[in-house]
Amino acid sequence: MNIQQVLTDVVILFSGIFSALMAVYYILKTDIQRFFNLKDIELNKEGRAHILPLRLQAHERLIIFTDRINPANLLVRLHQQGIGIGALQAGILNEVRSEYQHNITQQLYIDSVTWNVVRKLKDDTIAMINNAVQGLPADSNGIELSKAILQHMASIDENPYDLTIELIKKDIQKMF
């Protein structure tokens, strides 16, 4: 047998093996891709299953936060007989900031628009308290501050605390 015949046989053999491997690859390519896509979908499902309770808890906590910083609820919790305007103001501001700091990590689990509304509600609450204090004489007491705040709340057409809670509820409904 001559060398040329051996080389021809080797080339034909390798081209046949290469063609067979390419055919197997193209036949199995979609199955391999489907397998990896299913694995990704399964991992995403497991991830969502673990994060869903955290997201729901975050929404629950923000509803509680919104309710707790509502001036009507704040004033009931913090008002004491004979409390001065400065002490009541400091107590309210401390309570709002403390509640906010306690819930700040919840922004990881909720929509950024919803978080921005909650943050703005906190800032507006602080501004409302400070503006009410500035609108009163220095010798006012806590009862007069409470009345000023509640009168301001009554003058608002739509309660921002209720609107924020409704937004949080809508954010929850988007998950399902």
Side-chain angles (χ1 to χ4, degrees), residues 4-38:
Q4 187 177 15
Q5 182 64 32
V6 170
L7 287 175
T8 304
D9 288 345
V10 169
V11 167
I12 290 172
L13 179 65
F14 280 119
S15 64
I17 291 172
F18 180 74
S19 297
L21 289 174
M22 291 304 292
V24 168
Y25 170 75
Y26 282 112
I27 290 171
L28 296 178
K29 180 181 174 183
T30 57
D31 290 335
I32 292 169
Q33 286 176 339
R34 191 175 313 133
F35 173 77
F36 285 115
N37 287 343
L38 287 174

PDB file of all heavy atoms in Angstrom, residues 4-38:
ATOM      1  N   GLN A   4       0.157   7.522  -0.381  1.00  0.00           N
ATOM      2  CA  GLN A   4      -0.933   8.367  -0.856  1.00  0.00           C
ATOM      3  C   GLN A   4      -2.279   7.714  -0.536  1.00  0.00           C
ATOM      4  O   GLN A   4      -3.224   8.386  -0.133  1.00  0.00           O
ATOM      5  CB  GLN A   4      -0.782   8.594  -2.357  1.00  0.00           C
ATOM      6  CG  GLN A   4      -1.777   9.588  -2.866  1.00  0.00           C
ATOM      7  CD  GLN A   4      -1.575   9.858  -4.345  1.00  0.00           C
ATOM      8  OE1 GLN A   4      -0.892   9.112  -5.037  1.00  0.00           O
ATOM      9  NE2 GLN A   4      -2.175  10.911  -4.801  1.00  0.00           N
ATOM     10  N   GLN A   5      -2.409   6.452  -0.689  1.00  0.00           N
ATOM     11  CA  GLN A   5      -3.645   5.735  -0.391  1.00  0.00           C
ATOM     12  C   GLN A   5      -3.946   5.793   1.106  1.00  0.00           C
ATOM     13  O   GLN A   5      -5.077   6.006   1.523  1.00  0.00           O
ATOM     14  CB  GLN A   5      -3.510   4.275  -0.863  1.00  0.00           C
ATOM     15  CG  GLN A   5      -4.751   3.446  -0.644  1.00  0.00           C
ATOM     16  CD  GLN A   5      -5.939   3.930  -1.450  1.00  0.00           C
ATOM     17  OE1 GLN A   5      -5.778   4.446  -2.544  1.00  0.00           O
ATOM     18  NE2 GLN A   5      -7.128   3.797  -0.905  1.00  0.00           N
ATOM     19  N   VAL A   6      -2.923   5.636   1.968  1.00  0.00           N
ATOM     20  CA  VAL A   6      -3.094   5.697   3.408  1.00  0.00           C
ATOM     21  C   VAL A   6      -3.565   7.093   3.822  1.00  0.00           C
ATOM     22  O   VAL A   6      -4.483   7.249   4.630  1.00  0.00           O
ATOM     23  CB  VAL A   6      -1.782   5.307   4.139  1.00  0.00           C
ATOM     24  CG1 VAL A   6      -1.883   5.591   5.624  1.00  0.00           C
ATOM     25  CG2 VAL A   6      -1.433   3.862   3.884  1.00  0.00           C
ATOM     26  N   LEU A   7      -2.942   8.117   3.282  1.00  0.00           N
ATOM     27  CA  LEU A   7      -3.343   9.501   3.596  1.00  0.00           C
ATOM     28  C   LEU A   7      -4.779   9.767   3.148  1.00  0.00           C
ATOM     29  O   LEU A   7      -5.554  10.422   3.865  1.00  0.00           O
ATOM     30  CB  LEU A   7      -2.393  10.502   2.964  1.00  0.00           C
ATOM     31  CG  LEU A   7      -1.018  10.614   3.613  1.00  0.00           C
ATOM     32  CD1 LEU A   7      -0.128  11.562   2.802  1.00  0.00           C
ATOM     33  CD2 LEU A   7      -1.120  11.103   5.025  1.00  0.00           C
ATOM     34  N   THR A   8      -5.144   9.292   2.015  1.00  0.00           N
ATOM     35  CA  THR A   8      -6.504   9.477   1.516  1.00  0.00           C
ATOM     36  C   THR A   8      -7.492   8.778   2.447  1.00  0.00           C
ATOM     37  O   THR A   8      -8.539   9.343   2.791  1.00  0.00           O
ATOM     38  CB  THR A   8      -6.632   8.909   0.086  1.00  0.00           C
ATOM     39  OG1 THR A   8      -5.664   9.508  -0.747  1.00  0.00           O
ATOM     40  CG2 THR A   8      -8.009   9.164  -0.488  1.00  0.00           C
ATOM     41  N   ASP A   9      -7.165   7.566   2.874  1.00  0.00           N
ATOM     42  CA  ASP A   9      -8.049   6.841   3.780  1.00  0.00           C
ATOM     43  C   ASP A   9      -8.177   7.567   5.132  1.00  0.00           C
ATOM     44  O   ASP A   9      -9.266   7.635   5.718  1.00  0.00           O
ATOM     45  CB  ASP A   9      -7.520   5.412   4.003  1.00  0.00           C
ATOM     46  CG  ASP A   9      -7.699   4.524   2.774  1.00  0.00           C
ATOM     47  OD1 ASP A   9      -8.480   4.930   1.888  1.00  0.00           O
ATOM     48  OD2 ASP A   9      -7.066   3.464   2.729  1.00  0.00           O
ATOM     49  N   VAL A  10      -7.068   8.096   5.646  1.00  0.00           N
ATOM     50  CA  VAL A  10      -7.085   8.818   6.916  1.00  0.00           C
ATOM     51  C   VAL A  10      -7.943  10.081   6.784  1.00  0.00           C
ATOM     52  O   VAL A  10      -8.757  10.398   7.665  1.00  0.00           O
ATOM     53  CB  VAL A  10      -5.653   9.146   7.385  1.00  0.00           C
ATOM     54  CG1 VAL A  10      -5.663  10.132   8.551  1.00  0.00           C
ATOM     55  CG2 VAL A  10      -4.910   7.892   7.762  1.00  0.00           C
ATOM     56  N   VAL A  11      -7.767  10.825   5.696  1.00  0.00           N
ATOM     57  CA  VAL A  11      -8.546  12.055   5.483  1.00  0.00           C
ATOM     58  C   VAL A  11     -10.031  11.711   5.376  1.00  0.00           C
ATOM     59  O   VAL A  11     -10.891  12.394   5.959  1.00  0.00           O
ATOM     60  CB  VAL A  11      -8.040  12.826   4.236  1.00  0.00           C
ATOM     61  CG1 VAL A  11      -9.009  13.915   3.813  1.00  0.00           C
ATOM     62  CG2 VAL A  11      -6.667  13.386   4.480  1.00  0.00           C
ATOM     63  N   ILE A  12     -10.365  10.667   4.657  1.00  0.00           N
ATOM     64  CA  ILE A  12     -11.765  10.261   4.508  1.00  0.00           C
ATOM     65  C   ILE A  12     -12.326   9.829   5.871  1.00  0.00           C
ATOM     66  O   ILE A  12     -13.445  10.189   6.239  1.00  0.00           O
ATOM     67  CB  ILE A  12     -11.888   9.117   3.468  1.00  0.00           C
ATOM     68  CG1 ILE A  12     -11.614   9.658   2.071  1.00  0.00           C
ATOM     69  CG2 ILE A  12     -13.274   8.482   3.518  1.00  0.00           C
ATOM     70  CD1 ILE A  12     -11.518   8.596   0.995  1.00  0.00           C
ATOM     71  N   LEU A  13     -11.529   9.098   6.653  1.00  0.00           N
ATOM     72  CA  LEU A  13     -11.954   8.658   7.977  1.00  0.00           C
ATOM     73  C   LEU A  13     -12.216   9.851   8.902  1.00  0.00           C
ATOM     74  O   LEU A  13     -13.255   9.924   9.562  1.00  0.00           O
ATOM     75  CB  LEU A  13     -10.908   7.726   8.593  1.00  0.00           C
ATOM     76  CG  LEU A  13     -11.213   7.196   9.989  1.00  0.00           C
ATOM     77  CD1 LEU A  13     -12.435   6.299   9.973  1.00  0.00           C
ATOM     78  CD2 LEU A  13     -10.015   6.469  10.552  1.00  0.00           C
ATOM     79  N   PHE A  14     -11.261  10.785   8.960  1.00  0.00           N
ATOM     80  CA  PHE A  14     -11.436  11.966   9.823  1.00  0.00           C
ATOM     81  C   PHE A  14     -12.583  12.863   9.355  1.00  0.00           C
ATOM     82  O   PHE A  14     -13.312  13.421  10.166  1.00  0.00           O
ATOM     83  CB  PHE A  14     -10.135  12.761   9.937  1.00  0.00           C
ATOM     84  CG  PHE A  14      -9.164  12.171  10.914  1.00  0.00           C
ATOM     85  CD1 PHE A  14      -7.913  11.738  10.504  1.00  0.00           C
ATOM     86  CD2 PHE A  14      -9.506  12.025  12.257  1.00  0.00           C
ATOM     87  CE1 PHE A  14      -7.026  11.180  11.406  1.00  0.00           C
ATOM     88  CE2 PHE A  14      -8.623  11.474  13.162  1.00  0.00           C
ATOM     89  CZ  PHE A  14      -7.372  11.036  12.734  1.00  0.00           C
ATOM     90  N   SER A  15     -12.749  12.987   8.039  1.00  0.00           N
ATOM     91  CA  SER A  15     -13.868  13.809   7.557  1.00  0.00           C
ATOM     92  C   SER A  15     -15.198  13.141   7.894  1.00  0.00           C
ATOM     93  O   SER A  15     -16.186  13.797   8.202  1.00  0.00           O
ATOM     94  CB  SER A  15     -13.737  14.103   6.067  1.00  0.00           C
ATOM     95  OG  SER A  15     -13.816  12.909   5.315  1.00  0.00           O
ATOM     96  N   GLY A  16     -15.248  11.808   7.848  1.00  0.00           N
ATOM     97  CA  GLY A  16     -16.465  11.088   8.240  1.00  0.00           C
ATOM     98  C   GLY A  16     -16.755  11.257   9.719  1.00  0.00           C
ATOM     99  O   GLY A  16     -17.902  11.487  10.130  1.00  0.00           O
ATOM    100  N   ILE A  17     -15.699  11.128  10.548  1.00  0.00           N
ATOM    101  CA  ILE A  17     -15.877  11.314  11.995  1.00  0.00           C
ATOM    102  C   ILE A  17     -16.320  12.746  12.294  1.00  0.00           C
ATOM    103  O   ILE A  17     -17.250  12.965  13.086  1.00  0.00           O
ATOM    104  CB  ILE A  17     -14.575  10.962  12.751  1.00  0.00           C
ATOM    105  CG1 ILE A  17     -14.302   9.465  12.672  1.00  0.00           C
ATOM    106  CG2 ILE A  17     -14.652  11.424  14.211  1.00  0.00           C
ATOM    107  CD1 ILE A  17     -12.950   9.049  13.223  1.00  0.00           C
ATOM    108  N   PHE A  18     -15.675  13.727  11.637  1.00  0.00           N
ATOM    109  CA  PHE A  18     -16.032  15.133  11.841  1.00  0.00           C
ATOM    110  C   PHE A  18     -17.478  15.390  11.426  1.00  0.00           C
ATOM    111  O   PHE A  18     -18.238  16.053  12.135  1.00  0.00           O
ATOM    112  CB  PHE A  18     -15.066  16.037  11.063  1.00  0.00           C
ATOM    113  CG  PHE A  18     -15.362  17.496  11.213  1.00  0.00           C
ATOM    114  CD1 PHE A  18     -15.061  18.181  12.391  1.00  0.00           C
ATOM    115  CD2 PHE A  18     -15.990  18.199  10.189  1.00  0.00           C
ATOM    116  CE1 PHE A  18     -15.342  19.515  12.534  1.00  0.00           C
ATOM    117  CE2 PHE A  18     -16.283  19.540  10.335  1.00  0.00           C
ATOM    118  CZ  PHE A  18     -15.962  20.212  11.502  1.00  0.00           C
ATOM    119  N   SER A  19     -17.885  14.851  10.286  1.00  0.00           N
ATOM    120  CA  SER A  19     -19.263  15.028   9.804  1.00  0.00           C
ATOM    121  C   SER A  19     -20.257  14.390  10.771  1.00  0.00           C
ATOM    122  O   SER A  19     -21.315  14.966  11.052  1.00  0.00           O
ATOM    123  CB  SER A  19     -19.431  14.411   8.412  1.00  0.00           C
ATOM    124  OG  SER A  19     -18.604  15.062   7.487  1.00  0.00           O
ATOM    125  N   ALA A  20     -19.913  13.239  11.284  1.00  0.00           N
ATOM    126  CA  ALA A  20     -20.811  12.563  12.229  1.00  0.00           C
ATOM    127  C   ALA A  20     -20.940  13.365  13.516  1.00  0.00           C
ATOM    128  O   ALA A  20     -22.041  13.526  14.067  1.00  0.00           O
ATOM    129  CB  ALA A  20     -20.294  11.154  12.517  1.00  0.00           C
ATOM    130  N   LEU A  21     -19.808  13.889  14.036  1.00  0.00           N
ATOM    131  CA  LEU A  21     -19.856  14.706  15.243  1.00  0.00           C
ATOM    132  C   LEU A  21     -20.667  15.980  15.031  1.00  0.00           C
ATOM    133  O   LEU A  21     -21.424  16.398  15.915  1.00  0.00           O
ATOM    134  CB  LEU A  21     -18.439  15.033  15.722  1.00  0.00           C
ATOM    135  CG  LEU A  21     -17.649  13.873  16.326  1.00  0.00           C
ATOM    136  CD1 LEU A  21     -16.211  14.317  16.623  1.00  0.00           C
ATOM    137  CD2 LEU A  21     -18.325  13.368  17.581  1.00  0.00           C
ATOM    138  N   MET A  22     -20.506  16.610  13.883  1.00  0.00           N
ATOM    139  CA  MET A  22     -21.283  17.827  13.589  1.00  0.00           C
ATOM    140  C   MET A  22     -22.775  17.505  13.513  1.00  0.00           C
ATOM    141  O   MET A  22     -23.605  18.271  14.002  1.00  0.00           O
ATOM    142  CB  MET A  22     -20.802  18.471  12.287  1.00  0.00           C
ATOM    143  CG  MET A  22     -19.404  19.080  12.381  1.00  0.00           C
ATOM    144  SD  MET A  22     -19.244  20.312  13.698  1.00  0.00           S
ATOM    145  CE  MET A  22     -20.271  21.605  13.077  1.00  0.00           C
ATOM    146  N   ALA A  23     -23.118  16.387  12.903  1.00  0.00           N
ATOM    147  CA  ALA A  23     -24.529  15.999  12.802  1.00  0.00           C
ATOM    148  C   ALA A  23     -25.111  15.752  14.198  1.00  0.00           C
ATOM    149  O   ALA A  23     -26.215  16.195  14.513  1.00  0.00           O
ATOM    150  CB  ALA A  23     -24.669  14.759  11.923  1.00  0.00           C
ATOM    151  N   VAL A  24     -24.373  15.048  15.059  1.00  0.00           N
ATOM    152  CA  VAL A  24     -24.829  14.797  16.425  1.00  0.00           C
ATOM    153  C   VAL A  24     -24.976  16.115  17.176  1.00  0.00           C
ATOM    154  O   VAL A  24     -25.956  16.330  17.900  1.00  0.00           O
ATOM    155  CB  VAL A  24     -23.862  13.831  17.150  1.00  0.00           C
ATOM    156  CG1 VAL A  24     -24.148  13.787  18.645  1.00  0.00           C
ATOM    157  CG2 VAL A  24     -23.937  12.443  16.544  1.00  0.00           C
ATOM    158  N   TYR A  25     -24.011  17.012  17.006  1.00  0.00           N
ATOM    159  CA  TYR A  25     -24.075  18.320  17.688  1.00  0.00           C
ATOM    160  C   TYR A  25     -25.336  19.076  17.271  1.00  0.00           C
ATOM    161  O   TYR A  25     -26.059  19.592  18.118  1.00  0.00           O
ATOM    162  CB  TYR A  25     -22.824  19.147  17.377  1.00  0.00           C
ATOM    163  CG  TYR A  25     -22.928  20.569  17.848  1.00  0.00           C
ATOM    164  CD1 TYR A  25     -22.804  20.880  19.202  1.00  0.00           C
ATOM    165  CD2 TYR A  25     -23.188  21.613  16.959  1.00  0.00           C
ATOM    166  CE1 TYR A  25     -22.919  22.177  19.646  1.00  0.00           C
ATOM    167  CE2 TYR A  25     -23.302  22.912  17.397  1.00  0.00           C
ATOM    168  CZ  TYR A  25     -23.169  23.203  18.740  1.00  0.00           C
ATOM    169  OH  TYR A  25     -23.289  24.491  19.165  1.00  0.00           O
ATOM    170  N   TYR A  26     -25.607  19.159  15.969  1.00  0.00           N
ATOM    171  CA  TYR A  26     -26.778  19.912  15.517  1.00  0.00           C
ATOM    172  C   TYR A  26     -28.087  19.253  15.928  1.00  0.00           C
ATOM    173  O   TYR A  26     -29.076  19.923  16.196  1.00  0.00           O
ATOM    174  CB  TYR A  26     -26.732  20.135  14.000  1.00  0.00           C
ATOM    175  CG  TYR A  26     -25.793  21.249  13.624  1.00  0.00           C
ATOM    176  CD1 TYR A  26     -24.621  20.988  12.927  1.00  0.00           C
ATOM    177  CD2 TYR A  26     -26.052  22.559  13.999  1.00  0.00           C
ATOM    178  CE1 TYR A  26     -23.739  22.007  12.604  1.00  0.00           C
ATOM    179  CE2 TYR A  26     -25.176  23.585  13.685  1.00  0.00           C
ATOM    180  CZ  TYR A  26     -24.030  23.304  12.984  1.00  0.00           C
ATOM    181  OH  TYR A  26     -23.163  24.314  12.670  1.00  0.00           O
ATOM    182  N   ILE A  27     -28.083  17.940  16.022  1.00  0.00           N
ATOM    183  CA  ILE A  27     -29.289  17.237  16.463  1.00  0.00           C
ATOM    184  C   ILE A  27     -29.540  17.494  17.947  1.00  0.00           C
ATOM    185  O   ILE A  27     -30.664  17.730  18.374  1.00  0.00           O
ATOM    186  CB  ILE A  27     -29.169  15.725  16.178  1.00  0.00           C
ATOM    187  CG1 ILE A  27     -29.246  15.474  14.672  1.00  0.00           C
ATOM    188  CG2 ILE A  27     -30.264  14.949  16.905  1.00  0.00           C
ATOM    189  CD1 ILE A  27     -28.922  14.047  14.263  1.00  0.00           C
ATOM    190  N   LEU A  28     -28.480  17.478  18.753  1.00  0.00           N
ATOM    191  CA  LEU A  28     -28.621  17.624  20.204  1.00  0.00           C
ATOM    192  C   LEU A  28     -28.550  19.077  20.680  1.00  0.00           C
ATOM    193  O   LEU A  28     -28.825  19.346  21.846  1.00  0.00           O
ATOM    194  CB  LEU A  28     -27.544  16.803  20.920  1.00  0.00           C
ATOM    195  CG  LEU A  28     -27.626  15.290  20.726  1.00  0.00           C
ATOM    196  CD1 LEU A  28     -26.474  14.614  21.442  1.00  0.00           C
ATOM    197  CD2 LEU A  28     -28.960  14.751  21.218  1.00  0.00           C
ATOM    198  N   LYS A  29     -28.189  19.992  19.798  1.00  0.00           N
ATOM    199  CA  LYS A  29     -28.017  21.397  20.190  1.00  0.00           C
ATOM    200  C   LYS A  29     -29.278  21.968  20.842  1.00  0.00           C
ATOM    201  O   LYS A  29     -29.217  22.570  21.917  1.00  0.00           O
ATOM    202  CB  LYS A  29     -27.632  22.235  18.974  1.00  0.00           C
ATOM    203  CG  LYS A  29     -27.430  23.689  19.266  1.00  0.00           C
ATOM    204  CD  LYS A  29     -27.072  24.432  17.992  1.00  0.00           C
ATOM    205  CE  LYS A  29     -27.010  25.920  18.246  1.00  0.00           C
ATOM    206  NZ  LYS A  29     -26.734  26.654  17.017  1.00  0.00           N
ATOM    207  N   THR A  30     -30.431  21.777  20.240  1.00  0.00           N
ATOM    208  CA  THR A  30     -31.671  22.329  20.813  1.00  0.00           C
ATOM    209  C   THR A  30     -32.012  21.655  22.141  1.00  0.00           C
ATOM    210  O   THR A  30     -32.511  22.303  23.057  1.00  0.00           O
ATOM    211  CB  THR A  30     -32.844  22.192  19.826  1.00  0.00           C
ATOM    212  OG1 THR A  30     -32.989  20.818  19.477  1.00  0.00           O
ATOM    213  CG2 THR A  30     -32.607  23.025  18.580  1.00  0.00           C
ATOM    214  N   ASP A  31     -31.748  20.350  22.234  1.00  0.00           N
ATOM    215  CA  ASP A  31     -32.006  19.660  23.498  1.00  0.00           C
ATOM    216  C   ASP A  31     -31.093  20.172  24.608  1.00  0.00           C
ATOM    217  O   ASP A  31     -31.538  20.349  25.755  1.00  0.00           O
ATOM    218  CB  ASP A  31     -31.822  18.148  23.332  1.00  0.00           C
ATOM    219  CG  ASP A  31     -32.910  17.528  22.474  1.00  0.00           C
ATOM    220  OD1 ASP A  31     -34.008  18.106  22.404  1.00  0.00           O
ATOM    221  OD2 ASP A  31     -32.654  16.458  21.882  1.00  0.00           O
ATOM    222  N   ILE A  32     -29.851  20.411  24.291  1.00  0.00           N
ATOM    223  CA  ILE A  32     -28.903  20.934  25.281  1.00  0.00           C
ATOM    224  C   ILE A  32     -29.322  22.334  25.715  1.00  0.00           C
ATOM    225  O   ILE A  32     -29.348  22.643  26.916  1.00  0.00           O
ATOM    226  CB  ILE A  32     -27.464  20.937  24.708  1.00  0.00           C
ATOM    227  CG1 ILE A  32     -26.976  19.497  24.516  1.00  0.00           C
ATOM    228  CG2 ILE A  32     -26.517  21.710  25.619  1.00  0.00           C
ATOM    229  CD1 ILE A  32     -25.690  19.385  23.722  1.00  0.00           C
ATOM    230  N   GLN A  33     -29.701  23.179  24.742  1.00  0.00           N
ATOM    231  CA  GLN A  33     -30.148  24.530  25.084  1.00  0.00           C
ATOM    232  C   GLN A  33     -31.411  24.484  25.936  1.00  0.00           C
ATOM    233  O   GLN A  33     -31.558  25.227  26.906  1.00  0.00           O
ATOM    234  CB  GLN A  33     -30.390  25.350  23.817  1.00  0.00           C
ATOM    235  CG  GLN A  33     -29.126  25.788  23.141  1.00  0.00           C
ATOM    236  CD  GLN A  33     -29.404  26.517  21.839  1.00  0.00           C
ATOM    237  OE1 GLN A  33     -30.459  26.377  21.243  1.00  0.00           O
ATOM    238  NE2 GLN A  33     -28.420  27.300  21.409  1.00  0.00           N
ATOM    239  N   ARG A  34     -32.336  23.609  25.583  1.00  0.00           N
ATOM    240  CA  ARG A  34     -33.574  23.477  26.343  1.00  0.00           C
ATOM    241  C   ARG A  34     -33.275  23.025  27.778  1.00  0.00           C
ATOM    242  O   ARG A  34     -33.868  23.531  28.731  1.00  0.00           O
ATOM    243  CB  ARG A  34     -34.507  22.480  25.657  1.00  0.00           C
ATOM    244  CG  ARG A  34     -35.903  22.496  26.227  1.00  0.00           C
ATOM    245  CD  ARG A  34     -36.878  21.585  25.474  1.00  0.00           C
ATOM    246  NE  ARG A  34     -36.794  21.740  24.048  1.00  0.00           N
ATOM    247  CZ  ARG A  34     -36.715  20.716  23.178  1.00  0.00           C
ATOM    248  NH1 ARG A  34     -36.729  19.469  23.608  1.00  0.00           N
ATOM    249  NH2 ARG A  34     -36.633  20.937  21.889  1.00  0.00           N
ATOM    250  N   PHE A  35     -32.348  22.113  27.939  1.00  0.00           N
ATOM    251  CA  PHE A  35     -31.957  21.644  29.268  1.00  0.00           C
ATOM    252  C   PHE A  35     -31.432  22.793  30.120  1.00  0.00           C
ATOM    253  O   PHE A  35     -31.846  22.979  31.263  1.00  0.00           O
ATOM    254  CB  PHE A  35     -30.899  20.539  29.158  1.00  0.00           C
ATOM    255  CG  PHE A  35     -30.332  20.114  30.479  1.00  0.00           C
ATOM    256  CD1 PHE A  35     -31.047  19.293  31.332  1.00  0.00           C
ATOM    257  CD2 PHE A  35     -29.078  20.554  30.885  1.00  0.00           C
ATOM    258  CE1 PHE A  35     -30.525  18.898  32.557  1.00  0.00           C
ATOM    259  CE2 PHE A  35     -28.546  20.172  32.104  1.00  0.00           C
ATOM    260  CZ  PHE A  35     -29.278  19.345  32.942  1.00  0.00           C
ATOM    261  N   PHE A  36     -30.529  23.602  29.562  1.00  0.00           N
ATOM    262  CA  PHE A  36     -29.975  24.713  30.330  1.00  0.00           C
ATOM    263  C   PHE A  36     -31.017  25.799  30.577  1.00  0.00           C
ATOM    264  O   PHE A  36     -31.022  26.432  31.634  1.00  0.00           O
ATOM    265  CB  PHE A  36     -28.728  25.278  29.648  1.00  0.00           C
ATOM    266  CG  PHE A  36     -27.521  24.410  29.818  1.00  0.00           C
ATOM    267  CD1 PHE A  36     -26.922  23.793  28.734  1.00  0.00           C
ATOM    268  CD2 PHE A  36     -26.984  24.174  31.076  1.00  0.00           C
ATOM    269  CE1 PHE A  36     -25.815  22.972  28.888  1.00  0.00           C
ATOM    270  CE2 PHE A  36     -25.886  23.363  31.257  1.00  0.00           C
ATOM    271  CZ  PHE A  36     -25.297  22.750  30.156  1.00  0.00           C
ATOM    272  N   ASN A  37     -31.918  26.020  29.638  1.00  0.00           N
ATOM    273  CA  ASN A  37     -33.001  26.996  29.850  1.00  0.00           C
ATOM    274  C   ASN A  37     -33.926  26.535  30.972  1.00  0.00           C
ATOM    275  O   ASN A  37     -34.357  27.345  31.798  1.00  0.00           O
ATOM    276  CB  ASN A  37     -33.795  27.208  28.568  1.00  0.00           C
ATOM    277  CG  ASN A  37     -33.034  28.020  27.542  1.00  0.00           C
ATOM    278  OD1 ASN A  37     -32.060  28.695  27.875  1.00  0.00           O
ATOM    279  ND2 ASN A  37     -33.460  27.938  26.299  1.00  0.00           N
ATOM    280  N   LEU A  38     -34.226  25.247  31.014  1.00  0.00           N
ATOM    281  CA  LEU A  38     -35.064  24.721  32.092  1.00  0.00           C
ATOM    282  C   LEU A  38     -34.373  24.853  33.439  1.00  0.00           C
ATOM    283  O   LEU A  38     -35.008  25.147  34.446  1.00  0.00           O
ATOM    284  CB  LEU A  38     -35.433  23.264  31.821  1.00  0.00           C
ATOM    285  CG  LEU A  38     -36.463  23.024  30.718  1.00  0.00           C
ATOM    286  CD1 LEU A  38     -36.626  21.526  30.455  1.00  0.00           C
ATOM    287  CD2 LEU A  38     -37.799  23.647  31.053  1.00  0.00           C
TER     288      LEU A  38
END
